[in-house]
Amino acid sequence: MIKLIATDMDGTLLNAAHEITPENQAAIKFAQEHGITVVIATGRAFYEANTPVAETDLKVPYICLNGAEVRDETFNIMSTSHLNHSLVNKITTTLKKEDIYYQVYTNRGIYTEDPQRDLEIYIDIAERAGQKADVEKIKNSIQKRIDNGTLKIVDNYDKIEEIPGELIMKILAFDSDLGKIDLVGQELAKSPNLAVSSSSRGNLEITHSDAQKGIALATIAKQLGIDLENVMALGDNLNDISMLERVGYPVAMDNAAPEVKAVAKYITDSNENSGVGKAIMKFLKDENQLS
C-alpha cells in the first residue's frame, strides 16, 4: 500500500510550460486527503522549485538540488549537504580542463559568469526534450531571476567560498559535445565523495555523494515510519534513478530516458499528458487502494 509519493519536476510533474496541470494538482490533493505525503524531488534549487508550486494551492515538502537540501511544507530547512573546498576544486579543475561551462548553486542563489551561455543551455534543454524553445520567454525568465537576486552574475567563481555563510551545494555543467560530457562525468564519478547525475542530455549535476534524491527520500520515509516498499517515486531522467531503484513503486514517464525506464516497474503517460496524476490515480483509486 502506497503511503508516500515522490515526484520529480522537470519532464515529470511539470509540462513544457513549466506548469503543474489541473489533473496533476487534483491527484496530489486526492493523495494528501487520504493521508499520503507527497514530496517534490528536484534538481532545482528551492527558489526555482517553489515558483510553479506557488501558482497553485499545493503544500508539499521539497527535496531540492538532488537531495542537497530538504525543506518541509512550511519551507523550513530540515537538512543540507554541501561540497567542501577540496571537492569544489576537483570538480572545477576537471571542467575547466575540458573547457566545459558550469553554474554554481549555493544555499543563497545561482552564480553565473555568462548569462548568454545560460540562455544557450536552456534553449538546448528544451530542444533535446522535443520542445520548441521560446527564446523570448527564456530571456525574460533569466532577467527576472537576475532582478530578484536568485541568479547572480560574477566575473569568476573563485570568491564565492569566501562569502560568509555561502555554501556550494551543486555544480551544474553543460556542453553540447555529448562525448566530452560523458567522459568528464565518468571521471568525476570515480570520486567516492561525489554524486554525478543528469537532468537533461548534455548536462551534469554534481553534488556531494550524500546529496542524492534516493538518499533524501529514504530518510524522509524513515522519519515517517514508512517502509520503502510502500513508496512511489516518479521520474524521467538520470538524477531520478536513485529514487526509483529504492522504492516499491518505481514509475517512469513515457518521455523518460531509456536508463530510467530500465529500472522502473511501471510506465505512465508523458509529462505533457499529466502522467504523474494518471499514475497516482491508477494506483490509489483504480486498483482499489482508496475509494
Side-chain angles (χ1 to χ4, degrees), residues 27-193:
I28 290 171
K29 289 177 183 177
F30 179 80
Q32 291 173 329
E33 288 165 359
H34 288 84
I36 297 169
T37 300
V38 181
V39 180
I40 282 178
T42 178
R44 293 185 179 210
F46 172 73
Y47 30 83
E48 296 177 304
N50 186 53
T51 299
V53 180
E55 296 172 357
T56 73
D57 59 354
L58 295 173
K59 293 187 182 300
V60 293
Y62 293 83
I63 295 171
C64 297
L65 298 168
N66 290 339
E69 181 180 272
V70 177
R71 297 191 183 222
D72 65 17
E73 295 91 336
T74 57
F75 309 155
N76 292 315
I77 297 175
M78 307 305 291
S79 66
T80 61
S81 179
H82 69 278
L83 296 161
N84 62 28
H85 175 73
S86 176
L87 290 174
V88 170
N89 186 61
K90 179 180 181 64
I91 296 165
T92 56
T93 298
T94 303
L95 294 175
K96 289 175 181 177
K97 181 180 177 182
E98 298 297 333
D99 192 29
I100 293 177
Y101 178 73
Y102 63 94
Q103 294 175 324
V104 176
Y105 283 63
T106 77
N107 55 322
R108 293 176 174 170
I110 304 168
Y111 287 82
T112 178
E113 292 179 343
D114 188 350
Q116 182 58 38
R117 290 295 302 273
D118 297 341
L119 174 63
E120 294 170 6
I121 289 172
Y122 296 129
I123 290 173
D124 188 85
I125 288 173
E127 291 177 346
R128 289 187 188 277
Q131 304 162 4
K132 180 174 173 58
D134 187 331
V135 177
E136 285 306 311
K137 186 175 181 179
I138 295 172
K139 283 182 179 178
N140 291 337
S141 176
I142 291 173
Q143 188 58 52
K144 183 178 180 180
R145 292 160 72 196
I146 292 171
D147 293 341
N148 66 26
T150 58
L151 182 63
K152 308 170 190 291
I153 304 172
V154 291
D155 292 331
N156 63 72
Y157 298 129
D158 296 341
K159 301 295 184 182
I160 294 175
E161 291 179 281
E162 298 177 10
I163 303 172
E166 203 87 12
L167 300 174
I168 295 179
M169 316 283 277
K170 182 180 85 167
I171 291 178
L172 176 64
F174 174 86
D175 201 287
S176 58
D177 186 335
L178 302 183
K180 186 163 67 172
I181 276 286
D182 288 342
L183 286 173
V184 169
Q186 292 167 13
E187 177 64 27
L188 291 173
K190 293 177 182 177
S191 170
N193 297 313

Side-chain angles (χ1 to χ4, degrees), residues 2-21:
I2 296 169
K3 299 179 180 179
L4 172 63
I5 299 170
T7 174
D8 171 52
M9 293 195 82
D10 296 281
T12 302
L13 181 63
L14 304 181
N15 59 19
H18 297 279
E19 298 168 336
I20 304 174
T21 65

